[in-house]
Amino acid sequence: IGLDRARRHTSGSHLSTMVKVTSICCIGAGYVGGPTMAMIAQKCPHISVTVVDISQPRIDAWNSDELPIYEPGLDEVVKACRGKNLFFSTDVEGAIAKCEMIFVSVNTPTKKTGLGKGKAADLTYWEAAARTIAAVSKTDKIIVEKSTVPVRTAEAIEKVLKRNCSDAAVQFNILSNPEFLAEGTAMTDLANPDRVLIGGKIEGQAGTDAVDALAEVYANWVPQERILRANLWSAELSKLAANAFLAQRISSINAMSALCEATSADVSQVAHALGTDSRIGPKFLNASVGFGGSCFQKDILNLAYICECHGLKEVADYWYSVVGMNDYQKSRFVKRVVSAMFNTIRNKKIAMLGFAFKKDTGDTRETPAIDVGRGLIEDGARLAVYDPKVSDEQIAMDMEGMTDNITCYKSAMEALDGAHAVTVMTEWDEFKAYDWKEIYGVMQKPAFVFDGRNILDHEGLKEIGFIVYALGKPIDPFLKSAEGA
C-alpha cells in the first residue's frame, strides 16, 4: 500500500515512526460518520475518505441529491467533495483493506434484553465491525472509536482484533476520539470545535504515535491547543460524562420550572439570574418539556449501569435521577394539558407543532413528543402532527400501535384547523412567525396553547384570546380554576 511514514523525534531520545495518513475509512454512515467524514474530506483534500455501510439504501441516499440526514451546511460540503476525495460505498472489506486509519461509527443502542437490559450499551455492531477489520487487515491499522461506548471497550475490542487476525505481524492501535457534536449545528461544531479529544495508550511509543497520526489529521484545521490528548479510559469516560452533565443541567432547570409554577415565579427570570453567574454560565438553562436525542438518556443509563457494575450504587442512583426528572417533566406536561381542558380530551383534536427532539434536525430519537403524544392518545385525544423536517413514515414508526389516532399534515394551518389545543414540542423558528390571530380564528374555543419550549409571545397570545400554559411561568387564572386550584 506504500504507507508514507514520517520519521520525527518526540520528547526524550526515542525515534518514533508515525503513520502519515493518506486514506481513511469510516464504518457507519449515520449522524456521526457522515458529517465527520465530510468535514475531514473538505479540510484534508490530500486524504481519501471512504464511508462504508452495509445498508445499500443508506449509501444510495448519500450518493444522491437527497442525503439521508438533514444538517445545515452538510449538503454543500458533501456535494463539493463527493467523487473527489469523499466516497460512499457498501464495499466494507475493500475500504478497510486499503486504508491506514478506520473510524468506527456504528450504532451502540441500549440493550433491550438480557444482562443490563434497558441500561447497558449493546456492542453487537461494534464487535461485528472489529471482526470484519481483523479478517480483512493485512497491514497495520489505527482504529478510532467514534461511537459512544462504555469505558474500557477498547480493551475488549483489542482482544477481538488480535484473536481474529490471521497475520500475527499486523498491529492494531486503538484510539478513542469521542464526538461532541450537537445536532442542528454539527457542521459548525466540526469546523470550529471547542476541543478534539484523542485518547490512546500514550504510556507507550506505539500508542503515542497513533495519537499523533490522528492529531495531525485534525491539525489541518483545528489549532493545536484545542487538540487534547488523554489515556484511553479517560477519553471514553469523558464523552459519557459530558452528556450526563449537560442533561443534568436540563433536568435541574426543569425541576425549577415545576417549583416556579407552584410559587408564581418565572423560570426564564430565574434562569437568566443563574446564567449571568460566570461560574454557572447561560447554556442549557432553557426549561422545556424534556431532553431527547440519541445520546443523553442512553449515555446516562450506560454511565449509571457502569457505576452499578463497580458497586457504586449511590453514584448510579444520582445519575438515574436525572432521567427520572426528565420523565416526570413529560408526564407533568401531559397532566397539565388534560386537567386544563376540563379533565377530558377524549375525541378532541390536539395539534402538535414539532416532532423532532430539537430544531434544525429531522431526528426523532427519544424526542419528548413521543411520550407526550402517547400520554395524550391514552387519554383519548386525536393528534394532528406537523413538523417541517420529520417524515410521516418516521412518526408512524415512533408512534407504533397508536397511528389510528394520529394524522400528519404538510402544513401547520391544516393541523391547527378545528383543533381544541396546540402543543409546541420543538422550538422551530417558523412557529414564532405564524399569524396567531388567524390560527385563533380556525381553532375551537376556548383555544389552548401549551408551549413546551417557551418560544412564543405568551402575552400577545393572551391578548388574542388564547388560554396559555407556558412551562415554569405563573399559571393563567383560567387554568387554575379549571384545575380546581
Side-chain angles (χ1 to χ4, degrees), residues 183-198:
E183 283 183 45
T185 58
M187 299 310 285
T188 313
D189 297 342
L190 285 163
N192 186 30
D194 289 342
R195 79 294 202 196
V196 171
L197 178 61
I198 304 172

Side-chain angles (χ1 to χ4, degrees), residues 83-132:
K84 295 174 184 171
N85 70 323
L86 176 63
F87 307 94
F88 296 93
S89 169
T90 53
D91 181 11
V92 179
E93 295 185 359
I96 290 170
K98 70 181 184 185
C99 72
E100 300 105 357
M101 183 174 282
I102 302 163
F103 284 75
V104 181
S105 190
V106 296
N107 197 12
T108 52
T110 304
K111 285 181 76 173
K112 290 182 177 169
T113 57
L115 194 63
K117 177 176 105 172
K119 305 172 190 175
D122 184 344
L123 297 178
T124 303
Y125 302 119
W126 223 123
E127 187 178 331
R131 288 178 185 279
T132 305

Side-chain angles (χ1 to χ4, degrees), residues 413 416-419 437-445:
M413 212 61 197
L416 291 157
D417 189 12
K437 270 188 184 165
E438 185 185 355
I439 290 168
Y440 184 74
V442 301
M443 285 178 66
Q444 301 281 348
K445 309 299 182 296

Side-chain angles (χ1 to χ4, degrees), residues 6-51:
R7 287 196 165 277
R8 61 187 185 81
H9 284 280
T10 54
S11 56
S13 58
H14 293 290
L15 191 67
S16 86
T17 306
M18 186 189 75
V19 174
K20 188 87 171 170
V21 177
T22 59
S23 179
I24 288 174
C25 158
C26 175
I27 302 174
Y31 275 95
V32 175
T36 304
M37 293 304 111
M39 185 59 65
I40 289 176
Q42 183 194 43
K43 300 293 188 182
C44 309
H46 56 287
I47 296 178
S48 175
V49 179
T50 305
V51 183

Side-chain angles (χ1 to χ4, degrees), residues 209-229:
D209 289 345
V211 169
D212 288 346
L214 180 54
E216 191 170 87
V217 171
Y218 281 113
N220 283 284
W221 78 96
V222 180
Q224 284 289 353
E225 64 271 16
R226 292 194 199 173
I227 301 175
L228 312 181
R229 291 161 166 82

Side-chain angles (χ1 to χ4, degrees), residues 312-370:
L312 303 172
K313 182 184 179 299
E314 290 79 4
V315 181
D317 288 345
Y318 174 75
W319 290 114
Y320 282 136
S321 73
V322 173
V323 176
M325 178 54 61
N326 197 51
D327 291 337
Y328 167 72
Q329 187 78 339
K330 289 181 284 190
S331 65
R332 193 171 78 80
F333 187 83
V334 171
K335 284 176 185 169
R336 190 66 87 178
V337 172
V338 175
S339 61
M341 295 174 73
F342 320 110
N343 278 313
T344 176
I345 56 173
R346 185 160 303 283
N347 293 322
K348 289 180 180 175
K349 180 180 180 181
I350 297 182
M352 182 174 274
L353 291 185
F355 199 84
F357 83 92
K358 63 189 264 191
K359 72 174 184 176
D360 294 334
T361 178
D363 194 352
T364 64
R365 288 177 290 181
E366 301 292 345
T367 176
I370 294 173

Side-chain angles (χ1 to χ4, degrees), residues 10 14 16 173 200-212 231:
T10 54
H14 293 290
S16 86
N173 273 296
K201 292 188 172 179
I202 50 178
E203 56 277 8
Q205 191 61 53
T208 301
D209 289 345
V211 169
D212 288 346
N231 71 37

